[in-house]
Amino acid sequence: MAELSFNLLHTLDPRRDAYGFALRPQHVQRYKEYAKIYKEEEGERSDKWKEFFERLVISDQPCSSDEEYKETLRVEATECKIETVLESEESDDSGGKKSISDGSKERDLEKEVHRSKETKTHEVQTWAQIRPSLGAIEIMMSSRILMSKDMIDEQKTISGDHLPSIEEAKSPGGASEEEFDGDVYVNATSDDNANATGTVTAEVDEVSPKNLFPLKEEVEFLVRGGVPKDLRGEVWQAFVGVKTRRVERYYQNLLAQEANDGEHKDHEDSSGVPKKWKRQIEKDIPRTFPGHPALDDNGRNSLRRLLLAYAQHNPSVGYCQAMNFFAGLLLLLMPEENAFWTLVGIIDDYFGGYYTEEMIESQVDQLVFEELMRERFPKLVNHLDYLGVQVAWISGPWFLSIFVNMLPWESVFRVWDVLLFEGNRVMLFRTALALMELYGPALVTTKDAGDAITLLQSLAGSTFDSSQLVLTACMGFLAVTEARLQELRTKHRPAVLVVVEERSKRGRVWKDSKGLASKLYSFKHDPVSLIEEKKSAEGGDNLELLNSLSVDSELGSLPDLQEQVVWLKVELCRLLEEKRAAVLRAEELETALMEMVKQDNRRELSARVELLEQELAELKQALADKREQETAMLQVLMRVEQEQRVTEDARISAEQDAAAQRYAVHVLQERYEKALASVAEMEKRVVIAESMLEATLQYESGQSKAHASPRSTRNQDTSTRKTGLLSFGLGWRDRNKGKPTDVKESNLSHSPNEGMDPSSSEKETKNEQKET
Amino acid sequence: MGCSSSLPDRSSGQLAGLNSENGGVSDAKNLRVKLVLLGDSGVGKSCIVLRFVRGQFDPTSKVTVGASFLSQTIALQDSTTVKFEIWDTAGQERYAALAPLYYRGAAVAVVVYDITSPESFAKAQYWVKELQKHGNPDIVMALVGNKADLNEKREVPVQDGIDYAEKNGMFFIETSAKTADNINQLFEEIAKRLPRPASS
Ligand SMILES: Nc1nc2c(ncn2[C@@H]2O[C@H](COP(=O)(O)OP(=O)(O)OP(=O)(O)O)[C@@H](O)[C@H]2O)c(=O)[nH]1
Ligand SMILES: [Mg+2]
């Protein structure tokens, strides 16, 4: 339905692009220029894909050819009358439900809608199968789903696992190889077809005896060049594996359930979509592509049904802002139920853990991206650090929206083409890196945080050269593979989990005073004197820690011990992180101090020293707190052990766990000692710094006697100090100066002489980052 | 996002988000201020920013995903200028997990509610508490009751806003992004309350 309207309308409104989306006023002109290029590209694309399908039909010769398919369809399509599930919607919906073919131009690969007898008898509201010529792609992609279901079964316990990308599942070559060895994906891959992992090949073999890998490569090439507009909806479905995912009548049942719930609104405990999501969906529907011609009342009803059905389908996600845009986008390209299954594939698989209540994976990805940025663009990141800009401020929204509203639509579609094809989030990273590569040279010329962010946002928003973007992304960052990303995610996830854990703890304390009371109560059964300590340490970290521990020990059974061990591990991670941060900070301070001495600025110096001392005190305090926590932990551990003696049957395994804990505590202690040592080290440094300061002061007092006007030159002083810092930083970066790259945006008057070298190696990065 | 533990907090040593360190022109006459907007979804945060920066009201604004950035400079009567670097955040509850990324190091927080929605007022109080616990200690906070043009549908009395703001040492104002009422005043008042770098 959507396509119908936008095909008719897009030519009429110059303020909208070929997809019916509003153009920003400042982009109308650029868009016009690029519209010609898009058209040319689209023509080439259609030819290539057409030729590809022709070859496919000849070599593959499936039982039903496209021609036959069309024949039968024409008959069916004209006869077909669709009955709606939701009768209330029926009246004004019929126009919209006419098959897409009504509106589509007679292209070589024309749009045909399949409404088979089967779907008709089941009263499917809007569901269309994709053309058979895409079957081969569909089968290839479906094998990925089967494979991943397999994987999920195998590693049910592991959270946050992702689809294995076909990329990894097949390509043994490539620059990335030495970066991951012995990885699952690689193992499954290297042999071309003979003995990859049993189940996987079995599945593939079942559907098609042919080796699909050459096909995959060819499709990959085509996809990077872009999917033809008219095919996009169906090709995306093939990529996501909609046919394999689809469960007959599932969508209708979700809708019916939802409609039922609507009737009994007063039931609070109804199984339907929770109110908060419904309300949010209602708030967001009018704010989804406002004014888009296809999103009229019918379109919005579709959008609402789709989002409600999804929320019902996956309560761990429910509804998250951003999904409204995805659903809206999909509805522009395909019938409603197809859009539903595509959305399911994207949110459940491609972006598993991304849009859930805690948004853990999305936070993990930001840390991963920052690391990749530091590795790839050390100079740029240094500059952003210097300006006080965090990469995640900008990349966060990019990732969460999958670039929707962040790039021109042509580019969004091209990125989605590749992303959906690859079946993972590699393209997300590669695109973001490509944007940094394209615009980094302009960014390093900015002078303050606001300018940098504004510039990057506006440059990204005018990335009309979608082919350049996609090619840069796909060819420039081959080393960014799913395997590498997984490795980095595993590395960064604990840090996110700690923060999430703390947040939820905080939430518990705030929201749930009853819960707190019961926790306190549980302590009264306890002979240990923890209560006093707890009361005295009111409000502090300690309290929270004890609370959580007390809850754990309340149950006093085995799983708790495991939980505690996990918790201790997490705690250990955090401590390590803190120590690392402290060391880094110490180094930073030292550098800064040296810089200050150089600049000979008395006031700054004493302020800095004061700060230093303050920070040192804070650090000491933190360490003392940690030690307190540790004793608390130990006491709880002892208590747990007592309980162990009482519970005979649980004893053996409990002892094992306790040993593990003791070991963890031991490790913790060791870490504390190390941290203490490093603090001592820092203290030494401060002493040195102080003596340096004293020397400087003496020197200065001598100086100031000589020249007696420090006040009047103060402003100048600070500015030279700043440039001094700047040149210090820049000089430092210049050592790794790469070949300059041109900025495409010529409207930026600066000629960037600090080029970004995309191939700068990891070794350099390590130097730059002052890794510990 | 939400966890910078892998890096030392860069802003810790700085003057409350007044980015005097980072090379920009930020002296007593030309301030640069990081400002963050927080509040329930749909209260009109994005509309307020758009009204302030572009002078427009779009009744069909877009949902904010993650956060979005705009900046605007205003001149005060004493011939100082203030450049606001504004982060407009997403309002849905779960996005609160990402909020620290944006409010950390901010000099100003504008907490917005919708005067027709008591629920959004409760949410505003949540944000105030969160900022008091985890925000910059000398952060300047403003409480804003938006959609003042919908007075006939009002459900949060003005006095409630005033009282709560007073109790928490905040600046309070009711605005309408739709009619532009009090929008500029909001930012001007904030500008006046900023701590100035010593100009000795
Ligand atoms: N009558 C009236 N309506 C307003 C006003 N400000 C915003 N709105 C309406 O409220 C809707 C939501 O405003 P937004 O600015 O998008 O809300 P938001 O706080 O940014 O919401 P999120 O991005 O979801 O966090 C808009 O579509 C406007 O129609 C106002 O001052 N008066
Ligand atoms: Mg918004």
Side-chain angles (χ1 to χ4, degrees):
Chain A
M1 80 176 81
E3 285 178 52
L4 172 64
S5 0
F6 97 69
N7 269 335
L8 291 175
L9 275 160
H10 80 268
T11 42
L12 302 180
D13 191 348
R15 320 220 64 188
R16 293 189 173 271
D17 68 10
Y19 302 99
F21 293 109
L23 289 162
R24 286 177 223 168
Q26 70 267 32
H27 288 156
V28 173
Q29 195 49 42
R30 294 263 329 264
Y31 175 75
K32 256 191 211 156
E33 290 162 26
Y34 272 94
K36 283 177 215 130
I37 300 174
Y38 292 159
K39 213 170 175 183
E40 272 169 35
E41 285 182 345
E42 183 67 23
E44 286 168 23
R45 214 173 271 152
S46 292
D47 292 345
K48 273 194 214 156
W49 282 76
K50 187 184 155 205
E51 190 213 352
F52 167 71
F53 283 124
E54 276 164 3
R55 255 186 299 125
L56 209 64
V57 172
I58 294 162
S59 65
D60 216 39
Q61 205 48 258
C63 33
S64 70
S65 77
D66 250 14
E67 284 310 308
E68 286 170 47
Y69 169 70
K70 278 180 200 161
E71 288 294 323
T72 47
L73 270 187
R74 287 221 170 87
V75 183
E76 275 177 26
T78 45
E79 286 174 350
C80 156
K81 278 212 178 92
I82 304 104
E83 292 158 82
T84 37
V85 176
L86 299 175
E87 276 145 345
S88 55
E89 314 269 353
E90 204 175 55
S91 52
D92 49 2
D93 233 280
S94 53
K97 260 191 258 81
K98 251 178 255 167
S99 75
I100 321 172
S101 59
D102 288 16
S104 73
K105 281 167 257 160
E106 291 287 310
R107 291 256 179 170
D108 294 327
L109 295 161
E110 70 206 72
K111 189 127 284 187
E112 289 293 345
V113 173
H114 181 111
R115 300 200 189 281
S116 68
K117 289 211 172 82
E118 162 207 283
T119 53
K120 195 166 49 174
T121 51
H122 284 123
E123 298 177 356
V124 167
Q125 190 185 6
T126 28
W127 163 257
Q129 266 167 22
I130 62 175
R131 73 196 68 204
S133 55
L134 288 169
I137 298 179
E138 204 169 24
I139 289 166
M140 181 174 82
M141 294 301 170
S142 300
S143 71
R144 179 170 67 198
I145 301 171
L146 297 171
M147 190 153 63
S148 78
K149 274 183 184 161
D150 221 69
M151 301 261 302
I152 288 162
D153 285 342
E154 270 174 38
Q155 12 176 299
K156 248 178 197 151
T157 47
I158 300 162
S159 68
D161 49 338
H162 295 264
L163 278 172
S165 81
I166 7 172
E167 173 92 23
E168 261 67 60
K170 75 75 331 201
S171 80
S176 55
E177 213 183 6
E178 67 263 33
E179 294 194 36
F180 48 90
D181 36 3
D183 200 284
V184 207
Y185 308 119
V186 185
N187 284 345
T189 69
S190 11
D191 321 67
D192 253 341
N193 48 6
N195 38 355
T197 41
T199 46
V200 176
T201 5
E203 301 279 18
V204 175
D205 282 349
E206 239 170 71
V207 264
S208 158
K210 269 186 61 179
N211 179 3
L212 292 163
F213 294 148
L215 173 66
K216 195 242 150 192
E217 250 154 44
E218 198 169 349
V219 178
E220 178 174 63
F221 175 76
L222 284 172
V223 167
R224 287 179 177 179
V227 177
K229 229 189 252 175
D230 293 349
L231 278 176
R232 191 165 265 134
E234 289 173 82
V235 169
W236 281 11
Q237 290 175 54
F239 288 171
V240 178
V242 163
K243 196 173 157 195
T244 314
R245 288 176 198 280
R246 179 167 185 250
V247 178
E248 195 69 39
R249 294 206 54 77
Y250 184 76
Y251 183 63
Q252 286 68 36
N253 288 338
L254 288 178
L255 291 183
Q257 225 171 304
E258 179 50 36
N260 257 345
D261 284 350
E263 282 165 30
H264 318 284
K265 256 179 197 149
D266 14 299
H267 293 265
E268 267 296 315
D269 51 9
S270 65
S271 61
V273 180
K275 235 177 152 190
K276 59 171 178 179
W277 294 335
K278 275 190 196 167
R279 292 238 295 276
Q280 190 66 56
I281 290 171
E282 285 312 320
K283 276 183 199 169
D284 290 354
I285 283 176
R287 297 190 293 157
T288 307
F289 308 135
H292 191 289
L295 286 173
D296 52 8
D297 285 352
N298 289 331
R300 301 209 175 275
N301 288 334
S302 270
L303 183 59
R304 176 177 301 112
R305 284 195 296 270
L306 189 49
L307 292 173
L308 287 173
Y310 182 85
Q312 190 119 326
H313 155 76
N314 185 355
S316 76
V317 172
Y319 169 72
C320 180
Q321 288 187 314
M323 281 165 53
N324 57 320
F325 292 119
F326 307 156
L329 175 55
L330 294 174
L331 280 173
L332 298 181
L333 299 175
M334 57 189 81
E336 189 175 313
E337 193 187 339
N338 301 56
F340 170 76
W341 289 107
T342 312
L343 186 70
V344 165
I346 294 171
I347 306 285
D348 291 3
D349 274 358
Y350 291 49
F351 286 79
Y354 233 67
Y355 298 102
T356 49
E357 205 66 59
E358 264 94 27
M359 307 190 94
I360 290 170
E361 292 308 307
S362 127
Q363 297 182 53
V364 172
D365 270 9
Q366 285 314 307
L367 295 181
V368 171
F369 182 66
E370 176 161 352
E371 176 161 352
L372 289 173
M373 280 287 291
R374 284 185 189 277
E375 186 180 306
R376 285 315 196 97
F377 306 113
K379 281 182 228 165
L380 174 59
V381 178
N382 271 342
H383 183 71
L384 294 177
D385 280 351
Y386 166 71
L387 296 179
V389 174
Q390 262 175 278
V391 173
W393 290 350
I394 304 156
S395 56
W398 284 356
F399 280 48
L400 284 164
S401 60
I402 324 185
F403 297 106
V404 170
N405 295 325
M406 305 286 158
L407 302 175
W409 275 100
E410 184 74 15
S411 297
V412 172
F413 279 116
R414 294 286 301 274
V415 169
W416 279 58
D417 286 343
V418 180
L419 188 134
L420 295 183
F421 169 74
E422 288 180 345
N424 53 42
R425 300 198 294 273
V426 171
M427 188 58 183
L428 211 53
F429 285 87
R430 288 184 176 175
T431 306
L433 288 167
L435 288 168
M436 293 296 186
E437 169 148 328
L438 292 172
Y439 304 132
L443 279 183
V444 294
T445 64
T446 52
K447 299 267 184 322
D448 75 45
D451 293 351
I453 298 159
T454 308
L455 182 68
L456 184 54
Q457 271 187 358
S458 82
L459 286 176
S462 58
T463 310
F464 284 98
D465 196 340
S466 49
S467 292
Q468 185 198 30
L469 177 67
V470 171
L471 285 184
T472 312
C474 292
M475 310 316 280
F477 302 95
L478 291 173
V480 179
T481 60
E482 181 67 2
R484 171 112 169 87
L485 291 180
Q486 290 296 22
E487 199 181 281
L488 291 172
R489 282 175 186 138
T490 312
K491 173 177 159 193
H492 288 290
R493 194 169 288 116
V496 173
L497 290 177
V498 167
V499 176
V500 168
E501 169 71 13
E502 261 170 21
R503 256 195 98 77
S504 71
K505 230 189 284 169
R506 241 195 282 151
R508 251 182 275 144
V509 175
W510 285 349
K511 284 181 192 160
D512 188 17
S513 53
K514 219 169 112 195
L516 184 66
S518 75
K519 282 173 207 164
L520 284 165
Y521 177 74
S522 80
F523 261 95
K524 295 195 176 143
H525 300 288
D526 210 298
V528 194
S529 61
L530 283 176
I531 306 168
E532 271 76 52
E533 207 186 305
K534 192 164 133 191
K535 276 180 183 154
S536 63
E538 213 164 30
D541 266 351
N542 227 351
L543 177 66
E544 280 175 13
L545 168 79
L546 290 174
N547 279 338
S548 68
L549 282 179
S550 76
V551 185
D552 289 347
S553 54
E554 228 171 303
L555 306 164
S557 59
L558 277 185
D560 282 344
L561 280 169
Q562 267 157 12
E563 259 175 47
Q564 286 177 28
V565 170
V566 171
W567 188 85
L568 278 168
K569 276 184 196 157
V570 171
E571 196 64 8
L572 180 66
C573 283
R574 197 178 56 146
L575 285 168
L576 286 177
E577 276 301 314
E578 272 169 19
K579 201 202 120 195
R580 206 169 84 89
V583 173
L584 273 173
R585 185 86 190 124
E587 269 175 28
E588 238 188 23
L589 287 171
E590 205 178 17
T591 324
L593 192 69
M594 281 164 65
E595 183 65 21
M596 282 190 302
V597 172
K598 258 193 229 160
Q599 293 302 320
D600 189 20
N601 185 320
R602 190 170 72 184
R603 214 185 319 176
E604 291 279 346
L605 247 176
S606 50
R608 279 292 171 123
V609 169
E610 224 173 76
L611 245 168
L612 243 164
E613 276 165 356
Q614 205 182 312
E615 257 160 21
L616 189 67
E618 272 167 23
L619 259 165
K620 273 188 201 159
Q621 184 58 43
L623 273 170
D625 286 348
K626 291 275 140 27
R627 235 174 295 151
E628 260 174 45
Q629 287 178 15
E630 198 193 342
T631 23
M633 266 191 270
L634 277 172
Q635 274 167 343
V636 175
L637 279 177
M638 274 155 57
R639 202 152 47 89
V640 169
E641 275 175 0
Q642 277 175 1
E643 281 173 16
Q644 267 179 294
R645 265 168 237 137
V646 182
T647 34
E648 273 289 306
D649 47 346
R651 201 177 128 205
I652 299 158
S653 44
E655 259 173 10
Q656 279 170 355
D657 282 325
Q661 282 182 349
R662 254 175 262 127
Y663 174 72
V665 170
H666 177 68
V667 176
L668 271 172
Q669 262 172 329
E670 271 181 20
R671 296 297 172 195
Y672 283 137
E673 272 157 32
K674 277 187 196 157
L676 266 180
S678 71
V679 167
E681 177 64 23
M682 275 176 55
E683 267 173 322
K684 259 190 239 161
R685 285 181 193 167
V686 170
V687 170
I688 294 168
E690 268 168 354
S691 57
M692 281 160 92
L693 169 66
E694 223 148 278
T696 322
L697 288 180
Q698 276 172 8
Y699 171 76
E700 167 127 82
S701 68
Q703 288 275 309
S704 61
K705 270 172 209 160
H707 322 274
S709 61
R711 282 283 146 88
S712 55
T713 53
R714 150 112 184 107
N715 270 345
Q716 230 181 337
D717 270 357
T718 14
S719 70
T720 47
R721 201 189 77 79
K722 274 173 196 158
T723 46
L725 254 172
L726 176 67
S727 64
F728 176 70
L730 287 179
W732 185 35
R733 278 202 299 274
D734 276 345
R735 267 186 274 143
N736 297 319
K737 199 170 200 166
K739 57 166 189 261
T741 323
D742 273 345
V743 213
K744 249 225 143 176
E745 318 310 312
S746 49
N747 56 346
L748 297 160
S749 51
H750 352 266
S751 66
N753 39 19
E754 283 225 2
M756 311 305 306
D757 190 348
S759 63
S760 35
S761 74
E762 287 172 25
K763 283 170 232 150
E764 281 174 356
T765 323
K766 275 176 191 147
N767 286 337
E768 299 253 352
Q769 273 182 271
K770 301 182 286 176
E771 285 281 0
T772 46
Chain B
M1 316 179 81
C3 45
S4 66
S5 41
S6 60
L7 275 174
D9 194 346
R10 282 185 288 268
S11 55
S12 61
Q14 283 180 20
L15 249 178
L18 287 170
N19 304 307
S20 50
E21 289 282 345
N22 293 328
V25 269
S26 189
D27 48 45
K29 286 280 169 201
N30 302 289
L31 296 174
R32 281 198 304 122
V33 184
K34 180 176 166 186
L35 181 152
V36 63
L37 278 138
L38 298 165
D40 202 1
S41 177
V43 297
K45 298 180 295 296
S46 302
C47 288
I48 290 174
V49 183
L50 284 177
R51 173 58 88 181
F52 173 56
V53 175
R54 305 234 170 96
Q56 303 162 343
F57 175 71
D58 183 356
T60 54
S61 59
K62 265 186 224 152
V63 172
T64 308
V65 174
S68 82
F69 180 86
L70 279 173
S71 80
Q72 171 77 314
T73 306
I74 60 169
L76 299 180
Q77 291 190 330
D78 59 355
S79 81
T80 54
T81 67
V82 178
K83 181 175 179 185
F84 285 106
E85 300 177 346
I86 304 169
W87 280 105
D88 170 24
T89 61
Q92 197 187 3
E93 189 157 338
R94 66 188 67 181
Y95 280 95
L98 315 185
L101 185 67
Y102 296 99
Y103 70 63
R104 216 188 290 126
V108 182
V110 175
V111 179
V112 186
Y113 66 90
D114 171 353
I115 64 156
T116 70
S117 155
E119 203 191 10
S120 74
F121 187 56
K123 195 68 198 273
Q125 300 178 11
Y126 160 84
W127 279 118
V128 172
K129 285 192 196 106
E130 163 123 0
L131 287 164
Q132 284 166 346
K133 286 207 173 180
H134 302 280
N136 196 322
D138 9 292
I139 195 163
V140 174
M141 284 199 278
L143 182 65
V144 173
N146 190 40
K147 307 199 186 179
D149 56 292
L150 299 177
N151 202 24
E152 74 280 8
K153 285 201 219 156
R154 172 191 293 277
E155 289 201 32
V156 183
V158 192
Q159 198 55 43
D160 287 12
I162 295 173
D163 290 347
Y164 186 78
E166 196 174 332
K167 249 196 304 193
N168 291 277
M170 302 168 80
F171 161 63
F172 175 75
I173 196 167
E174 284 197 351
T175 60
S176 166
K178 188 174 179 181
T179 64
D181 235 28
N182 275 346
I183 297 289
N184 287 337
Q185 286 83 336
L186 163 66
F187 289 91
E188 279 158 19
E189 287 300 322
I190 288 169
K192 285 184 200 158
R193 285 168 168 74
L194 290 172
R196 302 296 164 101
S199 53
S200 55

